[in-house]
């Protein structure tokens, strides 16, 4: 149990760093959504399913969708 927890925490650190370091916005967005997915799993491992469900809906779903729309509109104006 603790190994899986630390594995996901390390994965969260890596995805956070990659989302900062990528210059391509779409790659950074994918890393950010993987970070949110790992956070959902960590909340489930901490036995907080209500917080995990809220993070899944808001963090993983809504925020990723809004960022996809923003990136797509930014690319349209750049062309």
């Amino acid at each position: 149990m603790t190994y899986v927890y630390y594995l996901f925490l390390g994965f969260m650190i890596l995805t956070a760093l990659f989302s900062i370091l990528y210059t391509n916005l779409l790659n950074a967005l994918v890393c950010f959504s993987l970070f949110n997915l790992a956070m959902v799993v960590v909340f489930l491992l901490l036995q907080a399913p209500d917080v995990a469900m809220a993070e899944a809906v808001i963090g993983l779903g809504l925020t990723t969708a809004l960022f996809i729309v923003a990136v797509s509109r930014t690319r349209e104006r750049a062309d």
Side-chain angles (χ1 to χ4, degrees), residues 42-70:
V42 167
F43 283 142
L44 286 174
L45 290 174
L46 291 174
Q47 297 177 354
D50 52 343
V51 180
M53 187 67 85
E55 176 65 30
V57 170
I58 296 169
L60 191 59
L62 185 66
T63 306
T64 304
L66 287 174
F67 281 162
I68 287 173
V69 169

Side-chain angles (χ1 to χ4, degrees), residues 5-72:
Y5 175 72
Y6 289 124
L7 179 73
F8 275 102
L9 285 180
F11 183 71
M12 285 175 58
I13 291 170
L14 283 176
T15 55
L17 286 174
F18 284 144
S19 67
I20 292 170
L21 296 176
Y22 276 133
T23 56
N24 187 356
L25 293 177
L26 195 59
N27 289 341
L29 180 63
V30 168
C31 286
F32 180 70
S33 62
L34 287 174
F35 173 81
N36 283 330
L37 180 65
M39 189 179 294
V40 168
V41 173
V42 167
F43 283 142
L44 286 174
L45 290 174
L46 291 174
Q47 297 177 354
D50 52 343
V51 180
M53 187 67 85
E55 176 65 30
V57 170
I58 296 169
L60 191 59
L62 185 66
T63 306
T64 304
L66 287 174
F67 281 162
I68 287 173
V69 169
V71 167
S72 68

